[in-house]
Amino acid sequence: MRIFITVPSAACRQLISRQRPVARRRPASGLLCLVASGLLWGTGGLTGTLLSRAAGLSAISVAAGRLTVGGLLIVAFLTVTGRRWPAGRAAWTRIIAVALLAALYQGCYFTAVSLTSVPLATLVTIGTAPVIVLAAERAAGRKAGRLALAAAGLALAGLGLLVGLPAGFGESAVLASAGMAVLAAGGFAAITLTCARPVPGLDDLTVTGFGFTLGGGALIPLAACTGGLSFRPGLAAFGLLIALGIGPTAVAYTLYFRGLRTAAASTAALLSLLEPLTGAVLAAFILGERLSATGIAGAVILAAAVILTVRADRGHPAGGHGSGEMAVPADGGAGGSNGVDRVGGDDGGDAEPGAPRQRLAQDHQADDGGQDRVHAHEEPEVTGWHPAQRG
């Protein structure tokens, strides 16, 4: 009795090779957008400080102003250029979510600042956000690699050394400020995780424009109740307000949302640590604030953490986050010889290791008249594909 082994036809082998996903590195454009957004955010502290001095605004009023002005400038740009406004429930749901989360993040952060100081609020907010994102990704089944965890540890250590722990505040004030800062971190982490899944047909510029316009409007009543909305008009004040709305707000967040399309959410959250690093450098050069030896060591560690984060993300195969696309061989058949042509058991080896493929094919042709067959009850296995991967 002869045993016939079914060999997939050339067309079937080509189909299988086309379907096999091939790991590729993430595109560098997403990382560049995230780095640029972090650097632009670093200019926001300096610009906001100068605006507060020139216009006599409180911190929460500066936050409301930057969101509102940045959002309105984008909406005006979209209108002038003839871009369509968002339409559909999914688009407006995302915009409203971004608006509420932005208002939560900014409002809680500046409330934490008012309770204690900028260093403590910055340390807790920016240091906690990456931890929340990493925990959320782990809960979703996406474990961080060793480089990402090492970068997170370095970033937290560097941030602590750079910012430092302020003294002279009561225990209740510190606890209340830390609680508000954790809420702010949760808002920023939620924005990061939400915008890591883009809505089809809704671009990043539109999300930023309409979301921040609504978010700034939601902060205005809070600013009026806490610090007032008195604005001392002047050329410098108006220039600083527009600069704050454009660079660290409209452009920075648009780049951040665009980078989230291809980079992991944890990578984006860690690269946001460029904000205090850039702010410290600008404060030293422009405002004359000197960094201590501890602060310089923290800045160096933060820079090392950023470099490690970039390396970790570039080494991660695309498809796990962001767009979720998988690469396939361009020729469709080049990868067919690496295991797809094999027949036999589960180990991927040939059923008869000593028998040439030509002989198996000839024996098969002798029985079915030259027609290749694939058993109907047996589907070819596509190697490398996992149901958890997003399409």
Side-chain angles (χ1 to χ4, degrees):
M1 180 177 66
R2 300 178 63 185
I3 298 176
F4 298 99
I5 300 176
T6 303
V7 180
S9 64
C12 182
R13 289 196 300 269
Q14 187 176 12
L15 176 63
I16 295 173
S17 65
R18 285 182 182 275
Q19 291 179 343
R20 182 195 298 118
V22 178
R24 67 182 177 189
R25 290 187 173 184
R26 300 181 187 277
S29 59
L31 289 175
L32 291 176
C33 288
L34 294 175
V35 170
S37 66
L39 294 175
L40 285 171
W41 282 336
T43 66
L46 175 62
T47 309
T49 299
L50 296 176
L51 173 62
S52 179
R53 294 176 182 177
L57 292 174
S58 63
I60 189 68
S61 298
V62 171
R66 71 178 292 185
L67 288 180
T68 305
V69 171
L72 286 176
L73 287 174
I74 293 179
V75 172
F77 172 78
L78 294 175
T79 303
V80 170
T81 55
R83 301 274 289 273
R84 291 192 305 172
W85 282 30
R89 178 181 297 179
W92 279 107
T93 300
R94 172 60 57 84
I95 288 172
I96 292 174
V98 169
L100 295 176
L101 291 173
L104 173 68
Y105 164 55
Q106 295 286 334
C108 290
Y109 172 75
F110 285 105
T111 301
V113 169
S114 65
L115 290 172
T116 52
S117 63
V118 172
L120 180 60
T122 301
L123 176 63
V124 177
T125 301
I126 299 183
T128 306
V131 177
I132 295 175
V133 172
L134 284 170
E137 288 192 335
R138 184 176 181 85
R142 296 189 297 269
K143 296 182 179 179
R146 293 181 179 179
L147 282 179
L149 294 176
L154 280 177
L156 293 177
L159 181 64
L161 292 175
L162 177 64
V163 175
L165 292 175
F169 299 100
E171 182 179 352
S172 59
V174 171
L175 290 176
S177 178
M180 297 303 296
V182 170
L183 286 177
F188 182 78
I191 289 179
T192 300
L193 293 169
T194 299
C195 293
R197 296 178 177 272
V199 174
L202 184 62
D203 62 273
D204 311 298
L205 194 62
T206 304
V207 172
T208 308
F210 287 91
F212 282 14
T213 300
L214 296 177
L219 275 182
I220 289 177
L222 179 62
C225 294
T226 56
L229 293 174
S230 59
F231 184 87
R232 292 199 299 264
L235 185 60
F238 282 113
L240 288 169
L241 181 59
I242 294 175
L244 182 62
I246 293 176
T249 307
V251 177
Y253 276 96
T254 299
L255 291 174
Y256 186 72
F257 295 154
R258 185 161 299 173
L260 281 170
R261 290 179 178 267
T262 54
S266 56
T267 299
L270 285 171
L271 289 179
S272 68
L273 292 165
L274 279 169
E275 177 183 357
L277 179 61
T278 306
V281 173
L282 290 177
F285 281 98
I286 297 178
L287 299 180
E289 298 181 3
R290 295 183 179 181
L291 281 176
S292 62
T294 303
I296 294 175
V300 172
I301 294 175
L302 260 182
V306 168
I307 296 173
L308 198 60
T309 300
V310 172
R311 291 191 59 184
D313 190 84
R314 291 293 292 157
H316 195 286
H321 305 274
S323 62
E325 297 176 354
M326 297 296 295
V328 296
D331 56 359
S337 60
N338 294 333
V340 179
D341 293 339
R342 294 178 181 175
V343 293
D346 295 336
D347 60 352
D350 290 336
E352 296 182 67
R357 294 186 187 276
Q358 292 83 355
R359 181 178 169 185
L360 291 174
Q362 289 171 1
D363 291 343
H364 183 64
Q365 281 182 344
D367 272 87
D368 63 1
Q371 300 295 324
D372 293 329
R373 293 179 296 145
V374 178
H375 291 304
H377 65 278
E378 215 176 344
E379 293 185 0
E381 180 183 359
V382 181
T383 60
W385 179 259
H386 191 276
Q389 290 175 323
R390 295 186 301 174

